[in-house]
Amino acid sequence: MMAGKIKIGVCVMEKKVSSAPMGQILERLQAFGEFEIIIFGDKVILRDPRLEMFGVPVPSYALVNREYPYQELDYFVEQEDFVEVHGKRFWKPFVEKPIDGDDHSIMIYYPSSAGGGMKELFRKVGNRSSEFHPEVRRVRREGSYIYEEFMPTGGTDVKVYTVGPEYAHAEARKSPVVDGVVMRNPDGKEVRYPVLLTPGEKQMARDVCLAFRQLVCGFDLLRCEGRSYVCDVNGWSFVKNSYKYYDDAACVLRKMFLDAKAPHLSTTIPPNLPWKVNELTQSSEGLTHQGSGLIGTFGQSEELRCVIAVIRHGDRTPKQKVKLKVTEEKLLNLMLKYNGGRARAETKLKSAVQLQDLLDATRLLVPPTRSGRESDSETEDTEHSEKLRQVKAVLEEGGHFSGIYRKVQLKPSKWVKLSKSDGVGEDEHPVEALMVLKYGGVLTHAGRKQAEELGRYFRNNIYPGEGTGLLRLHSTYRHDLKIYSSDEGRVQMSAAAFAKGLLDLEGQLTPILVSLVSKDSSMLDGLEDASVEMDEAKARLHEIITSEGKAIDKNGGSDSLEFPWMFDGAGLPDNASQLLRPLVNLTKKITTQVKLLAEDEDEKLVTSSYTVLPHYDQAKALGKTTIDVTRIAAGFPCGSESFLLMFAPGMMSHKFRMSMTLASLAELFKVAQLLADGVIPNEYGINPSQKLKIGSKIARRLLGKILIDLHNTREEAISVAELKGSQEPTSMFAKTRKEETEYQVRSLNKNEDPRRSSTTSEKSLDQDDEDDRETKYRLDPKYANVKTPERHESHIHSLMNVLRYCNLDESLEGEDSLVCNSALEHVFKTKELDYMSYIVLRMFENTEVALEDPKRFRMEMTFSRGADLSPLENHDGDAALLHQEHTLPIMGPERLLEAGSYLTLDQFEKMIHPFAMPAEDFPPPATPQAFAGYFSKSAGVFERLVNLWPFHKGTNNNVKQ
């Protein structure tokens, strides 16, 4: 027995001492019978000079310091999509934080390409932690602020709690930047889930403890693009409502105290802890968690391990293009302004500043009024004026430049040589250029609703038992949710709306887009690689369509008769050539009607003054999924498109009332549909062999990414299974990689390699870059792809063609197709992969099968043809209801495998591997620029930071700050 108890001084504010977690830990320490607890109290802490402490500043990236509100600073510049501080530019999205540490009003500003606006973060008020303000676009000027690059973290914050350098407990919560809704359990507590830290993150926890001399502390981790960053460190932070943590913390602290003051005593934990507290597990009532995702098809031991979906974007407005030759000096000078003064260089105008310059010039060139019906001799000049008027109208739409749906190209076409100003030599000067205005192609409210509904369907049907959504997907084993998009606005918003439905989020799409969707257009590259083969296919397609009969592949034999998709040009109507003339005639008939209606409507606007609705604001509509009932009730189109846009000279009015029908429109649609159903699939190959060749070139990178995701998931599943199988009861402080869902023991000492326990296999990657390729939270984000909406329908067709025809490759001779015969026939008859069409790959693990057995992992493949219903046809039931809501329904998923069949992961990889990009050909992941160099995985950086701040100098090493 000890002669006397060790005195433990508690030097924290009374409010912290009286908190429930602190009380739980102190009670356990006293229960050991070895310590006397002395609480200093607020008076002693605040008045005793011996306890004076130094503050720990937070590294700032850029500081705007004002001496008084609204002070103008010559080093601070603000434009629509960036701020510049001392020459350093921060592009939106960026974060604005008050310098005052007690001011928790933090703002996030979003780029115009995502719809603009600002999200305000604040301390939780009820069930809200943030609010989105779509109309706020300029930063605050009433105080001093820190500006940082916004870091997308997949919608979660990770809270890490340490008790000394050898112990760390981590929890995830939903980030306030997503939709601002706080998830709470029935007891009113914020819902959090324990998560596993990577080896590098454990090293960071140790470094924080040692560098900041805060043994009992908490800090926030941001997991961004495969790397982790410390963004906040707080002393004396505890886990709430975790009895296991309280037990662990008391045992760890006891060992520290005995090592420091009584090293001769044993620190072995007693076999029976001296307190008796029933373990309180975190309540999950009120959450719709239904299990661990077990699927009963092949037994109750099967668990869903990975879902990869390739999804096309939602319904969009028609793409529009205006071409005109310009000779006006104002436009030519504008071209030179933005191409560096090069007479023969093309210029692209996309930014708000550039488009505003163009609008200003165009306004000066457009005649204020029309002169009426012109004679034939004036037609050319009139057409030019009307095209300029159209350019002006498109640029003025919405009242400001937001959203990615307008861009202009200026291409010089004629030049003259002029003497230089100094009289020596000559310079070229453009005198004519081709202006190309592209607009439209914007996601409609129907497209946004379709994407959100599909996300909700995935939530309820694709992930069994995952009703708790975002945090459950980020907890422990199910961690890695990645949503990728191309850089096109309609695709990004489709991805954001999908995420909203999948994760049961609220509010507008802009914050969701910026927080959860990563732009990765590289997955959609490949069209140029297949351009030669596609030109050959189109030439052959033209030959078949214009001939009297459809040509048949002479080498097909009996197989071509049994399997009709083996024909050259399969899917084209037999009378394709006979449909061309009706198509032309019907198009002319419709065009004539459109022209007359547009001209009549234009005259009405000039001669009348009836009440009209204000301009449709496309930017504000970007983040909404609701229908504009007022516009529809008034007879207006439900989006920014107007009927007059179908005919350029008459497009000035956006107030056209849709109270008429076009004769022969339905007939034209039927003829066009017959041809399109045959033409579109054959553009990607005129027969299966060519489809495979083209598809493998277009989808090569996407296929490589899919295989890497599946490989990494399998390797981690095997590692976890091996870890569980070999785990034996050990001391909590044993030097092992023991990871449990409720707590984690930091087991790596300073000399250990924190990557040694990595469970992500990256053997094919360059070992020289190993430091930058630590475990990436299950899947590697530079490859991982839960959703890759695509630019056209090309990648959907290409991926499908590889899946169904991969066995035709010489290296796979004798193998069966991955797609069963009945599904091959069904896909052939499907014709069109419409908006929101998708292909889903799911990987399951049978935990009752041996690890080395190929049947341990199996694949499931499904597809949907998307919103494949004609808007001109009558539909019954739910389809009719959705039709009335201006939204066509998405067809449900259909199997690509026979029911009851078993496709192993090994077989899937074998069939896809010849067409996939190898892992070593992928570029390394990028590091967020603003945080490069501030934090790394080594303790050296922390040590250098600490040396800058003398808060620890002159203090006793045994005194905890």
Side-chain angles (χ1 to χ4, degrees):
M1 293 291 294
M2 296 175 56
K5 293 184 178 181
I6 299 174
K7 294 182 179 180
I8 304 297
V10 182
C11 183
V12 293
M13 303 299 285
E14 292 173 359
K15 181 179 179 181
K16 181 74 71 172
V17 174
S18 62
S19 67
M22 187 72 170
Q24 294 281 353
I25 294 172
L26 292 179
E27 286 178 8
R28 285 163 170 75
L29 282 173
Q30 288 179 313
F32 279 112
E34 301 163 331
F35 308 109
E36 177 185 351
I37 306 298
I38 301 175
I39 299 174
F40 287 8
D42 290 359
K43 289 184 179 180
V44 174
I45 294 173
L46 295 176
R47 296 179 182 177
D48 193 325
R50 293 173 298 172
L51 298 177
E52 203 171 290
M53 296 185 182
F54 296 89
V56 182
V58 178
S60 62
Y61 193 69
L63 171 63
V64 174
N65 192 13
R66 292 185 177 88
E67 297 179 359
Y68 53 86
Y70 302 102
Q71 179 187 10
E72 292 296 328
L73 303 170
D74 56 5
Y75 61 81
F76 180 77
V77 178
E78 180 180 15
Q79 295 293 339
E80 182 174 20
D81 273 334
F82 68 84
V83 294
E84 191 172 289
V85 185
H86 293 296
K88 177 63 178 177
R89 187 167 293 183
F90 294 86
W91 289 95
K92 294 180 180 178
F94 57 71
V95 181
E96 178 187 70
K97 301 178 180 179
I99 290 180
D100 182 358
D102 294 326
D103 186 347
H104 297 279
S105 178
I106 297 174
M107 310 298 193
I108 301 172
Y109 296 89
Y110 299 102
S112 58
S113 61
M118 176 272 288
K119 169 152 283 194
E120 179 183 9
L121 311 183
F122 44 78
R123 286 197 175 274
K124 292 186 284 288
V125 179
N127 286 334
R128 302 292 308 181
S129 58
S130 68
E131 289 291 342
F132 180 61
H133 304 278
E135 73 285 352
V136 177
R137 300 170 184 272
R138 296 184 64 81
V139 301
R140 291 174 288 182
R141 285 175 162 74
E142 56 268 30
S144 299
Y145 303 97
I146 296 169
Y147 291 91
E148 296 177 350
E149 177 187 6
F150 175 80
M151 303 188 71
T153 62
T156 58
D157 292 340
V158 177
K159 304 286 186 179
V160 182
Y161 301 89
T162 67
V163 185
E166 306 300 324
Y167 180 95
H169 173 102
E171 296 180 338
R173 68 165 187 176
K174 187 172 74 172
S175 172
V177 307
V178 182
D179 64 354
V181 178
V182 179
M183 293 179 63
R184 296 188 182 276
N185 62 22
D187 297 327
K189 305 293 185 181
E190 184 179 27
V191 175
R192 296 186 178 184
Y193 291 106
V195 297
L196 299 181
L197 295 176
T198 68
E201 289 170 339
K202 292 178 183 178
Q203 183 65 46
M204 294 170 73
R206 178 186 178 89
D207 295 341
V208 167
C209 269
L210 298 178
F212 290 94
R213 302 183 63 80
Q214 294 286 318
L215 299 182
V216 178
C217 73
F219 63 91
D220 294 347
L221 273 181
L222 299 180
R223 287 173 164 177
C224 177
E225 298 180 1
R227 306 189 71 174
S228 299
Y229 304 89
V230 176
C231 68
D232 191 16
V233 178
N234 301 295
W236 286 103
S237 293
F238 302 101
V239 180
K240 300 177 179 64
N241 303 316
S242 173
Y243 280 70
K244 184 62 178 176
Y245 166 80
Y246 302 148
D247 293 351
D248 294 343
C251 292
V252 174
L253 290 172
R254 172 182 178 269
K255 183 178 186 302
M256 289 181 188
F257 298 152
L258 293 179
D259 285 346
K261 292 299 182 182
H264 58 286
L265 297 178
S266 171
T267 58
T268 302
I269 299 174
N272 295 313
L273 294 175
W275 57 87
K276 294 182 179 181
V277 178
N278 294 326
E279 181 74 18
L280 177 64
T281 58
Q282 187 169 10
S283 173
S284 61
E285 295 179 8
L287 302 177
T288 57
H289 182 52
Q290 300 170 350
S292 58
L294 296 178
I295 307 299
T297 307
F298 292 92
Q300 291 300 311
S301 59
E302 238 189 19
E303 185 167 357
L304 177 64
R305 288 301 189 205
C306 182
V307 177
I308 299 174
V310 182
I311 308 176
R312 194 182 175 197
H313 60 74
D315 179 76
R316 62 166 173 80
T317 62
K319 294 181 183 179
Q320 306 280 353
K321 184 185 293 186
V322 180
K323 288 186 178 182
L324 65 157
K325 292 181 179 179
V326 296
T327 57
E328 292 83 356
E329 195 70 17
K330 290 183 181 297
L331 297 178
L332 296 176
N333 288 338
L334 184 66
M335 178 179 68
L336 293 173
K337 175 181 177 180
Y338 288 112
N339 72 0
R342 295 171 292 171
R344 293 178 179 261
E346 177 183 332
T347 303
K348 293 183 179 180
L349 308 179
K350 295 182 179 180
S351 71
V353 173
Q354 294 171 335
L355 294 176
Q356 185 63 57
D357 278 354
L358 176 60
L359 176 57
D360 293 341
T362 306
R363 283 172 171 165
L364 296 174
L365 297 173
V366 173
T369 60
R370 292 183 174 87
S371 59
R373 307 272 177 147
E374 292 81 7
S375 63
D376 292 342
S377 61
E378 299 174 302
T379 299
E380 187 173 341
D381 290 341
T382 301
E383 183 178 344
H384 181 77
S385 296
E386 289 300 320
K387 285 185 175 181
L388 280 177
R389 199 181 300 274
Q390 183 179 359
V391 171
K392 173 177 173 288
V394 171
L395 294 176
E396 288 177 335
E397 183 181 356
H400 50 79
F401 297 106
S402 293
I404 328 171
Y405 66 102
R406 289 174 285 197
K407 57 184 177 182
V408 176
Q409 294 172 287
L410 285 166
K411 305 175 182 179
S413 55
K414 290 183 181 180
W415 308 264
V416 295
K417 291 187 177 182
L418 300 176
S419 299
K420 293 183 178 181
S421 57
D422 58 6
V424 180
E426 293 180 328
D427 275 335
E428 282 189 330
H429 187 79
V431 294
E432 181 183 276
L434 175 65
M435 178 189 287
V436 182
L437 167 66
K438 297 179 179 179
Y439 63 102
V442 182
L443 194 71
T444 64
H445 77 267
R448 294 189 290 273
K449 185 173 181 180
Q450 287 169 338
E452 187 173 342
E453 289 294 332
L454 183 61
R456 193 171 292 114
Y457 174 84
F458 268 54
R459 176 185 179 85
N460 295 329
N461 297 279
I462 301 298
Y463 300 94
E466 294 298 347
T468 49
L470 179 66
L471 286 178
R472 179 65 65 184
L473 287 169
H474 274 262
S475 68
T476 59
Y477 191 77
R478 293 174 185 79
H479 174 80
D480 193 35
L481 171 67
K482 293 286 183 276
I483 302 178
Y484 280 57
S485 162
S486 78
D487 55 2
E488 292 187 320
R490 61 180 173 274
V491 183
Q492 292 181 41
M493 284 302 170
S494 294
F498 176 89
K500 182 178 180 180
L502 175 69
L503 303 173
D504 196 25
L505 302 174
E506 298 180 10
Q508 295 199 4
L509 297 183
T510 297
I512 298 173
L513 168 64
V514 175
S515 300
L516 294 177
V517 179
S518 300
K519 290 188 291 185
D520 183 4
S521 58
S522 63
M523 284 300 98
L524 306 180
D525 295 339
L527 283 173
E528 293 183 1
D529 297 335
S531 58
V532 173
E533 291 81 1
M534 291 188 70
D535 287 342
E536 292 174 355
K538 290 176 182 178
R540 178 72 177 119
L541 186 59
H542 180 269
E543 178 186 341
I544 295 173
I545 292 177
T546 55
S547 64
E548 291 300 322
K550 195 165 54 172
I552 298 177
D553 183 358
K554 302 299 183 183
N555 298 321
S558 60
D559 286 345
S560 297
L561 299 177
E562 183 180 357
F563 306 115
W565 52 88
M566 301 301 292
F567 288 120
D568 274 13
L572 281 169
D574 293 333
N575 60 339
S577 63
Q578 300 173 17
L579 294 175
L580 296 179
R581 188 168 298 279
L583 179 69
V584 173
N585 292 335
L586 289 168
T587 302
K588 289 181 178 179
K589 187 175 181 179
I590 296 295
T591 303
T592 301
Q593 294 179 72
V594 171
K595 180 178 180 180
L596 292 174
L597 289 168
E599 289 176 349
D600 290 343
E601 186 65 20
D602 194 39
E603 286 187 356
K604 289 179 183 178
L605 287 175
V606 174
T607 59
S608 65
S609 58
Y610 60 80
T611 303
V612 296
L613 289 179
H615 282 301
Y616 180 82
D617 192 330
Q618 180 64 58
K620 289 184 178 179
L622 276 175
K624 299 179 180 178
T625 55
T626 55
I627 300 174
D628 195 333
V629 178
T630 305
R631 291 182 64 88
I632 295 175
F636 288 78
C638 56
S640 62
E641 294 295 313
S642 69
F643 185 81
L644 294 175
L645 286 176
M646 298 173 66
F647 184 69
M651 63 77 60
M652 280 303 297
S653 166
H654 282 242
K655 288 77 181 179
F656 183 72
R657 297 179 180 272
M658 303 288 287
S659 57
M660 51 44 195
T661 58
L662 294 173
S664 306
L665 183 60
E667 187 179 356
L668 172 61
F669 181 84
K670 290 178 180 179
V671 173
Q673 189 73 58
L674 282 172
L675 288 169
D677 287 348
V679 169
I680 293 174
N682 281 289
E683 285 182 325
Y684 305 102
I686 206 68
N687 54 46
S689 295
Q690 195 176 50
K691 290 180 192 294
L692 176 61
K693 188 174 184 180
I694 292 174
S696 63
K697 288 191 173 185
I698 293 177
R700 180 173 179 265
R701 188 184 183 100
L702 175 60
L703 290 166
K705 202 170 187 183
I706 289 172
L707 289 188
I708 291 170
D709 284 356
L710 295 173
H711 172 81
N712 289 343
T713 305
R714 173 175 55 188
E715 291 302 305
E716 175 133 353
I718 291 175
S719 296
V720 171
E722 290 175 338
L723 183 64
K724 290 180 179 178
S726 62
Q727 201 173 71
E728 296 178 359
T730 59
S731 167
M732 185 169 62
F733 303 102
K735 301 300 182 182
T736 61
R737 185 179 181 271
K738 183 178 181 181
E739 297 178 330
E740 299 180 12
T741 58
E742 284 298 326
Y743 72 98
Q744 297 164 19
V745 178
R746 172 75 183 106
S747 62
L748 298 176
N749 59 42
K750 281 189 174 181
N751 298 321
E752 282 184 297
D753 182 356
R755 298 181 302 276
R756 197 168 65 188
S757 300
S758 172
T759 58
T760 300
S761 175
E762 298 178 358
K763 296 178 181 177
S764 60
L765 301 178
D766 246 1
Q767 295 304 310
D768 292 341
D769 295 330
E770 187 66 23
D771 283 344
D772 293 330
R773 290 182 179 140
E774 186 187 2
T775 304
K776 306 292 197 309
Y777 328 132
R778 184 179 178 194
L779 298 184
D780 193 331
K782 85 180 179 209
Y783 308 126
N785 210 5
V786 168
K787 176 172 184 273
T788 306
E790 52 98 26
R791 181 170 291 131
H792 309 291
E793 66 275 16
S794 59
H795 285 72
I796 289 281
H797 280 285
S798 299
L799 178 58
M800 179 64 78
N801 287 339
V802 173
L803 291 177
R804 58 179 172 163
Y805 299 133
C806 56
N807 63 308
L808 300 181
D809 188 77
E810 292 181 357
S811 65
L812 299 171
E813 186 175 356
E815 296 286 353
D816 293 330
S817 171
L818 286 175
V819 179
C820 65
N821 284 339
S822 60
L824 285 172
E825 182 176 4
H826 186 67
V827 172
F828 168 67
K829 292 180 178 179
T830 295
K831 308 296 184 184
E832 185 172 10
L833 296 175
D834 215 315
Y835 297 132
M836 300 309 300
S837 56
Y838 59 84
I839 297 172
V840 174
L841 307 174
R842 298 202 298 176
M843 187 181 87
F844 295 88
E845 179 184 11
N846 188 338
T847 56
E848 290 186 352
V849 175
L851 288 176
E852 62 274 9
D853 192 323
K855 290 190 175 182
R856 175 87 179 195
F857 298 95
R858 74 171 179 91
M859 295 296 299
E860 176 187 276
M861 304 189 301
T862 56
F863 89 102
S864 167
R865 62 185 192 273
D868 186 22
L869 286 177
S870 168
L872 297 180
E873 296 178 3
N874 294 322
H875 305 289
D876 299 327
D878 294 338
L881 178 62
L882 290 172
H883 189 191
Q884 292 173 6
E885 296 180 356
H886 289 231
T887 305
L888 293 175
I890 301 170
M891 300 295 100
E894 301 172 65
R895 293 178 178 272
L896 292 175
L897 302 173
E898 291 284 2
S901 63
Y902 202 103
L903 173 62
T904 66
L905 175 59
D906 286 349
Q907 180 67 9
F908 179 85
E909 289 178 330
K910 174 184 176 182
M911 301 295 288
I912 296 300
H913 184 266
F915 317 103
M917 176 184 286
E920 58 267 22
D921 289 353
F922 282 80
T927 301
Q929 182 179 2
F931 285 79
Y934 271 114
F935 302 109
S936 75
K937 292 181 286 295
S938 68
V941 173
F942 277 109
E943 291 167 0
R944 291 195 294 273
L945 288 173
V946 171
N947 288 333
L948 296 176
W949 309 315
F951 68 93
H952 64 289
K953 294 182 179 178
T955 60
N956 190 311
N957 288 337
N958 291 327
V959 177
K960 180 164 51 181
Q961 297 288 333

